[in-house]
Amino acid sequence: MDIVRIFDTTLRDGEQSPGFSMSVPEKVRMARQLESLGVDIIESGFPIASQGDLEGVRAVCREIRSCTVAALARARRDDIDAALDGLAGAAHPRLHTFLATSDLHLHHKLRLTREQCLEAISSNVRYAREHCAEVEFSAEDASRTEIGFLCEAVGRAVKAGATILNLPDTVGYAVPEEYAAMFRRVIDYLDGANGITLSAHCHDDLGLGVANTLAAVQAGVRQLELTINGIGERAGNAALEEVVVLLKVRQATLGVTTNVHLDQLYATSRLLTEITGAPVAPNKAIVGANAFAHEAGIHQDGILKNPLTYEIISPEEVGVPKRQLVLGKHSGRNALRATLVDLGYQPTQEELDECYRRVVTLADASKSVSNRDVLAIAHEVMRKRGSETAVAAE
Ligand code: KIV
Ligand code: ZN
């Protein structure tokens, strides 16, 4: 079975979006968890962007020894030098350089001709490859690039030494058939693209990030760029947890696998919400508080008889804690705190008190309170913290 490599860009595309910035120690904590999750590549930052980004990349490189660590650079010498500086201590470094290829970006944003674009790709990818054993080239706005020119551009990148070609749907504009067709054309142009890894990177502006990522896999793409909880520029990136679970649940149809340990997904999602203070929506697939909650009587009845009736994956498989610590009105705050920590929360005293008040009220009405009830309560209470943080930051 083919392995699809997972390239996590939570610390770069995710972190660069409003409300998700992380300190250097937080990035390191998150990177350690991503390593435990089993992603293949961690994109650790964009070193030219700020001293903090550069420090973050350096710290992640020092800490992470089993995954490849990537750093982003525009196709310019100073950017590439900054990224190389950041990557210097990495066990498995990858220089990720990008240049827009659509006429819209070339003409209006970069004021480059197509010829200048091709020249910049050749010279900068070559320079990057002279200094780093593994180079990825991204054709920004690939999905809106005229296909003939896109082929020429990626051909230049390959000739200059890039072995990973990423074709992003930068503004989330593509529909799945189109996005897959683009990859098929490029693979054809590169005579099967032997020795080259094609990569998908999908933004979610029209809610198609995961669908487009799936279409890319079906077209032969074997690296996927994703973020935990789907965070990222604007509407975000395709969510890692959704894509890897999709590939697992539909493995028989899709015929691919990943190195991700699914049972670490929930903890990874919780760590990110804890670090950023930005909770996920309760109905978010895989990691939302309601993702495995069944309210309707008919559904509850079905689940009790056979979970497969309404659950296509069990909560335990994605790491939603199995232990049902039954909390009743006689349970103390300590038991509640332990449950909350188990579920990935770090409540303040005030939040613990508020959760406790709600748990006792619920226990009064229904005798016992399950982990899923606690999750829903914690989510509600912590969400307040998230919105207060957001207000404070305004
Ligand atoms: O969305 C995008 O095009 C990107 C590139 C820099 C890879 O994030
Ligand atoms: Zn992006």
Side-chain angles (χ1 to χ4, degrees):
M1 191 162 309
D2 261 9
I3 296 186
V4 171
R5 305 282 164 195
I6 301 300
F7 176 115
D8 179 276
T9 184
T10 306
L11 300 180
R12 199 279 297 169
D13 216 334
E15 200 261 355
Q16 77 190 31
S17 54
F20 292 100
S21 65
M22 294 175 222
S23 66
V24 171
E26 286 168 342
K27 282 189 168 185
V28 170
R29 219 175 137 206
M30 196 65 210
R32 270 197 227 114
Q33 178 58 32
L34 290 168
E35 193 173 40
S36 306
L37 178 65
V39 306
D40 301 282
I41 304 108
I42 297 174
E43 185 162 55
S44 53
F46 189 13
I48 196 84
S50 69
Q51 188 61 26
D53 251 62
L54 175 60
E55 294 302 339
V57 170
R58 284 184 181 145
V60 170
C61 288
R62 275 195 301 274
E63 185 73 19
I64 301 300
R65 306 318 284 172
S66 65
C67 306
T68 293
V69 178
L72 186 69
R74 286 169 298 184
R76 293 168 36 159
R77 290 280 169 108
D78 51 348
D79 268 48
I80 293 172
D81 287 338
L84 289 169
D85 177 351
L87 289 171
H92 310 284
R94 177 184 296 182
L95 195 297
H96 178 193
T97 187
F98 73 100
L99 184 62
T101 49
S102 67
D103 287 333
L104 189 67
H105 279 236
L106 286 178
H107 185 70
H108 294 280
K109 185 182 82 175
L110 301 171
R111 308 212 185 283
L112 289 179
T113 63
R114 283 185 174 189
E115 200 41 57
Q116 287 169 321
C117 168
L118 294 177
E119 178 42 40
I121 292 171
S122 295
S123 58
N124 289 293
V125 170
R126 192 175 311 113
Y127 179 73
R129 186 64 187 76
E130 280 162 11
H131 295 86
C132 187
E134 194 167 87
V135 174
E136 169 171 342
F137 173 70
S138 284
E140 190 188 11
D141 207 22
S143 56
R144 293 192 300 171
T145 300
E146 188 266 308
I147 190 70
F149 182 65
L150 181 64
C151 289
E152 240 184 294
V154 298
R156 289 286 189 104
V158 169
K159 208 161 169 204
T163 52
I164 303 103
L165 290 179
N166 181 41
L167 305 182
D169 183 26
T170 301
V171 290
Y173 175 77
V175 297
E177 268 182 23
E178 251 168 32
Y179 196 53
M182 175 191 71
F183 280 105
R184 290 198 178 99
R185 281 286 296 274
V186 166
I187 293 169
D188 253 15
Y189 179 84
L190 297 173
D191 289 329
N194 294 319
I196 303 296
T197 303
L198 270 301
S199 172
H201 176 118
C202 299
H203 282 268
D204 208 30
D205 300 66
L206 295 175
L208 289 175
V210 171
N212 284 333
T213 303
L214 171 63
V217 171
Q218 291 173 310
V221 167
R222 291 295 178 261
Q223 177 181 285
L224 305 177
E225 304 199 355
L226 308 164
T227 59
I228 300 297
N229 296 343
I231 69 170
E233 282 283 359
R234 307 178 308 280
N237 291 59
L240 187 149
E241 60 279 4
E242 295 181 19
V243 171
V244 297
V245 171
L246 161 65
L247 298 185
K248 175 71 197 315
V249 170
R250 301 307 309 272
Q251 194 171 62
T253 306
L254 299 169
V256 295
T257 186
T258 71
N259 292 322
V260 169
H261 308 299
L262 299 190
D263 61 358
Q264 288 295 312
L265 283 172
Y266 186 73
T268 313
S269 165
R270 298 303 323 160
L271 178 63
L272 182 63
T273 60
E274 188 205 313
I275 286 175
T276 61
V280 296
N283 63 328
K284 165 85 176 62
I286 316 300
V287 292
N290 292 348
F292 298 99
H294 303 276
E295 169 111 22
I298 293 172
H299 289 207
Q300 288 176 346
D301 182 51
I303 286 283
L304 289 174
K305 289 174 175 151
N306 181 346
L308 290 177
T309 51
Y310 289 103
E311 268 176 5
I312 57 171
I313 184 153
S314 72
E316 293 80 26
E317 277 175 276
V318 296
V320 173
K322 184 163 49 189
R323 183 158 56 90
Q324 289 285 316
L325 215 182
V326 180
L327 289 164
K329 58 184 166 184
H330 303 299
S331 313
R333 276 178 175 72
N334 281 345
L336 177 58
R337 184 189 288 281
T339 306
L340 287 169
V341 169
D342 217 23
L343 294 170
Y345 291 98
Q346 296 291 341
T348 60
Q349 188 59 44
E350 206 182 317
E351 287 164 341
L352 179 67
D353 290 345
E354 177 58 16
C355 289
Y356 185 71
R357 197 187 59 71
R358 294 187 191 206
V359 164
V360 170
T361 308
L362 187 62
D364 262 341
S366 61
K367 293 200 169 48
S368 71
V369 179
S370 72
N371 270 8
R372 293 197 194 167
D373 297 321
V374 177
L375 256 182
I377 288 171
H379 182 78
E380 265 294 305
V381 171
M382 309 298 172
R383 189 170 52 180
K384 282 196 194 145
R385 184 210 302 188
S387 54
E388 275 158 19
T389 313
V391 170
E394 275 169 10

